[in-house]
Amino acid sequence: MALLSEGEIGQLVLAAEKEIESASTPEELSTLKIKYVGRSGILTLALRGLKDISPEDRPKVGQALNSAKVSLEEKIDARTSELEAAARKTARGFFDHTLPGTPYFLGHPHPLVQVNREIVRIFNFMGFETATGPEIETDYYNFEALNFPKDHPARDMWDTFYLQDSELLLRTHTSPVQARVFEKRKPPIKILAPGRVYRHEAINARSYYTFLQIEGFYVDADVSFADLKGVLHAFVSAFYGDVKTRFRPSFFPFTEPSAEMDISCTICGGKGCSVCKYEGWLEILGCGMIHPQVFRNVGYDPEVWRGYAFGLGVDRIAMQKYRIDDIRLFYENDLRFLEQF
Ligand code: FA5
């Protein structure tokens, strides 16, 4: 190995550093290590040749060669560790802890479910226990037991979805739960029956082909229409606070007398809008005193027992609570709407 001057050592170091920088694998670096600082490497041989130079130049050149050797060795080792660490990360799948996380979308109950739960909670508080019935119902429980004989014109009150077997249908209201419970239990009973119902009817801003109802009924020895009004007023003021109510006479084959309850429209403040059909009032439920024939059909003595029943429309109640002017919004599943609740 020819002797190197200090300037040549500097140039050699610069050239070696470039090679180290551009090496892309630990193997390439290992070759460079052998080339420069290995047992027969350029710098090792140059150090061995020190003995041949003049004693006055020897310390300076010796020092330059030594520090070049140490520095290149360090640089090669550092770059090797860097490349090995990068290779390990790629092999494992790199995970950067400093990146912000991916936000999770948190769901919540549908507004109709929320309103349904709130109504059930209020009536449970007034002593009603909860019962359920099937959505695919028999003609008997949906109609006959409730005093709608076959071919009775009152069946036209609700356009019914029949299943292929015409004895089975999608229940048009939750009132069949009355007959189902009466058959199994003896008074006194105080029941709340929430559930989905179906009607083959025209869809518009306030009516849909499926909606939620909540049936309530109370049978005991001494139950009056005043009790019915009292319980419904208590519900309306617990749920809405301050709204006006009115009872209108109505007809249902399974109650006598029958009524419908309206509340003053919260959307237009009673002035009239498309939801209240420009009347200022919105019907939220049907109700009445249970017809003696319904009691006879289930083996209760109408001379002994009296009862009231009511059927609330949950969708209409939710519309009034949240001032929603179209029932279809509940069923379109548009997240921009649903996320508001
Ligand atoms: C009934 O369904 C009776 N079963 C209620 C009843 C129960 C009366 C017990 C007497 C004793 P009606 O068809 O009026 O009644 O419906 C009750 C409520 O359901 C209505 O007041 C209204 O709030 C709601 N409702 C009726 N039709 C629709 C519809 N297409 N879309 C949304 N809500 C409706």
Side-chain angles (χ1 to χ4, degrees), residues 158 173 175 199 201 208 211 213 215 283-285 311 316:
W158 303 303
H173 53 173
S175 299
R199 292 184 192 177
E201 62 177 57
Y208 207 60
F211 53 98
Q213 277 195 343
E215 191 83 4
E283 172 205 320
I284 59 162
L285 62 91
R316 300 250 178 99

Side-chain angles (χ1 to χ4, degrees), residues 111-120 194 212-214 314:
L112 287 178
V113 173
Q114 293 183 36
V115 169
N116 199 67
R117 284 183 188 164
E118 174 65 4
I119 299 172
V120 170
L212 295 174
Q213 277 195 343
I214 296 183
V314 176

